[in-house]
Amino acid sequence: MRTGLVFLLALMAMQAIIPGSSSASLKLGYYKYECKGAEKIIRQTMANFIRYNPTVAPSIIRMHFHDCFVRGCDGSVLIDSTASNKAEKDAPPNNPSLKGFEVIDQIKAKLEAYCPNTVSCADILAFAARDASYYVGGINYNVPAGRRDGRISIDSEVIQNLPAPNFNAKQLIGNFANKGLSADEMVTLSGAHSIGVSHCSSFSPRLYAFNSTHPQDPSIDPQFAAFLKTKCPQGSSNDPNVFLDNVTPTRLDNQYYKNLKYKRGLLTSDQTLEGSPETANTVTMNAKNYRAWSAKFAAAMVRMGSIEVLTGNQGEIRKKCRVVN
Ligand code: HEM
Ligand SMILES: *[C@@H]1O[C@H](CO)[C@@H](O)[C@H](O)[C@H]1NC(C)=O
């Protein structure tokens, strides 16, 4: 308890001195006057959805990540394609695996009825991701707000900006550095893979087509690989889902890092964190200390949530999250 508190205080002090580590333009309690009760409406709606369907939690956390890494946290991932524009949500990393758009639609509809033209889709997503983390066992962290919605969403920008599941540690560090996030934050945020699922196609080369001398990735525990092959048969016509953390698949905890220690990471981008000198120590620390990881995860979510945000009179407050005004 005490060490947890001291750690939190140290973390807050670090935040205060690292330049650019918190976005000056986003504010805590932003909707306190503009739309009092907005956060409560979001939280209650999330509670209802998650109670009915727990897979909503990982979907919304991932959606916030995919929003923030492409044109910043501006709600661009929510925009539908049109006849003349293929949008982010239809790019391969999002379609068909990104889910939960109807959750954001329902929250937005409630908030438009409650206080029209006030709460941005980008802020809704940031709050909803926090609430999703909270309901699956994460820390109840505060989310600074005041994001405005972007008006542009382009499918080709998704592959250019999101990390791929076959990236190695160096590539992942570089990808997150491009967004102003540290290697420690990258490893810490990857702990989101302690919940949710992946399609077999995102990792099956590790099982069947690693390289010309090794059909199977030697960095997978052979027993785990054998299990995964039963879930992902070669040449199967559909593309089944497998839990990212097979031990506690619905708890946002540090089991993910413990799995990596046993060579039971699902994606190349997961297991490489344990096998690379740049990131191995953070994996070990996160595996050992649930509380410290949990606090770092919350802080890193806030930092991710402030990437390249639109504020002030930039962008707009969309009326419907799927279409620009
Ligand atoms: C470090 C680089 C990352 C890579 C390469 C990566 C890649 C992936 C892939 C390939 C999937 C499975 C998609 C599918 O095939 O269905 C996935 C799922 C997921 N990712 Fe990541 N991811 C990364 C970081 C993150 C971060 C930073 C977060 C959030 C903070 C996150 C949250 C999730 C969640 C929650 C799921 C499960 C989604 C669901 O069950 O609907 N990921 N990720
Ligand atoms: C295949 O991967 C193994 C293990 O990483 C490595 O030792 C070997 O050199 C690789 N073979 C080729 C042809 O790249």
Side-chain angles (χ1 to χ4, degrees):
M1 189 65 218
R2 256 195 82 105
T3 47
L5 186 66
V6 169
F7 180 83
L8 259 174
L9 290 173
L11 207 75
M12 285 157 72
M14 270 160 52
Q15 290 260 310
I17 53 172
I18 301 169
S21 71
S22 70
S23 165
S25 40
L26 298 180
K27 290 191 178 62
L28 284 177
Y30 183 82
Y31 291 107
K32 204 155 81 186
Y33 302 109
E34 301 227 17
C35 183
K36 191 167 157 50
E39 286 193 48
K40 204 172 238 172
I41 290 175
I42 297 169
R43 173 154 297 198
Q44 279 166 357
T45 314
M46 286 301 289
N48 291 341
F49 269 104
I50 293 170
R51 195 179 310 122
Y52 178 72
N53 176 8
T55 70
V56 161
S59 302
I60 296 295
I61 294 170
R62 182 170 184 239
M63 192 186 285
H64 183 42
F65 164 51
H66 285 202
D67 185 29
C68 292
F69 266 55
V70 185
R71 282 189 177 265
C73 316
D74 68 341
S76 54
V77 74
L78 303 169
I79 295 175
D80 278 349
S81 294
T82 61
S84 57
N85 180 60
K86 196 172 165 195
E88 288 173 26
K89 62 164 60 158
D90 288 320
N94 290 332
N95 187 352
S97 61
L98 198 63
K99 301 208 160 78
F101 296 104
E102 75 287 357
V103 177
I104 304 302
D105 290 342
Q106 191 179 111
I107 295 172
K108 179 62 171 173
K110 286 186 186 178
L111 288 174
E112 281 303 298
Y114 184 64
C115 35
N117 308 317
T118 309
V119 186
S120 68
C121 298
D123 276 346
I124 290 174
L125 189 45
F127 287 129
R130 181 270 312 272
D131 296 341
S133 319
Y134 172 67
Y135 283 121
V136 293
I139 280 186
N140 189 18
Y141 58 93
N142 290 316
V143 174
R147 297 167 189 80
R148 307 262 301 172
D149 295 324
R151 296 175 48 81
I152 300 169
S153 180
I154 303 170
D155 71 323
S156 60
E157 292 183 343
V158 178
I159 284 215
Q160 291 162 13
N161 287 280
L162 277 181
N166 63 354
F167 273 15
N168 63 32
K170 277 199 176 67
Q171 292 170 307
L172 293 169
I173 291 170
N175 176 273
F176 276 62
N178 286 340
K179 305 297 169 185
L181 297 178
S182 69
D184 191 283
E185 287 170 322
M186 182 273 290
V187 175
T188 294
L189 286 169
S190 294
H193 289 177
S194 120
I195 51 171
V197 296
S198 170
H199 287 85
C200 290
S201 55
S202 298
F203 60 87
S204 55
R206 298 185 75 200
L207 305 175
Y208 298 114
F210 184 64
N211 69 19
S212 58
T213 52
H214 292 64
Q216 188 169 304
D217 185 341
S219 75
I220 305 190
D221 163 35
Q223 262 186 305
F224 186 52
F227 163 76
L228 292 175
K229 283 176 170 172
T230 67
K231 297 278 175 190
C232 305
Q234 202 169 14
S236 116
S237 59
N238 57 351
D239 188 3
N241 276 328
V242 177
F243 289 127
L244 282 155
D245 164 11
N246 188 44
V247 182
T248 57
T250 59
R251 296 296 293 173
L252 184 61
D253 57 15
N254 66 336
Q255 181 64 43
Y256 164 83
Y257 301 101
K258 298 178 190 170
N259 296 344
L260 298 184
K261 288 287 191 178
Y262 290 105
K263 315 284 180 207
R264 287 167 170 244
L266 196 62
L267 311 176
T268 295
S269 59
D270 296 323
Q271 198 58 53
T272 186
L273 303 178
E274 188 268 345
S276 307
E278 302 92 332
T279 49
N281 284 338
T282 310
V283 169
T284 302
M285 278 171 20
N286 290 351
K288 276 189 188 151
N289 193 334
Y290 166 75
R291 277 175 169 280
W293 166 74
S294 205
K296 281 201 301 174
F297 181 80
M301 284 294 280
V302 171
R303 290 248 303 138
M304 185 180 88
S306 62
I307 296 171
E308 299 163 29
V309 289
L310 304 176
T311 55
N313 51 21
Q314 297 171 310
E316 62 186 19
I317 306 292
R318 257 178 249 148
K319 291 191 202 311
K320 289 193 170 164
C321 295
R322 291 173 182 273
V323 285
V324 299
N325 292 346

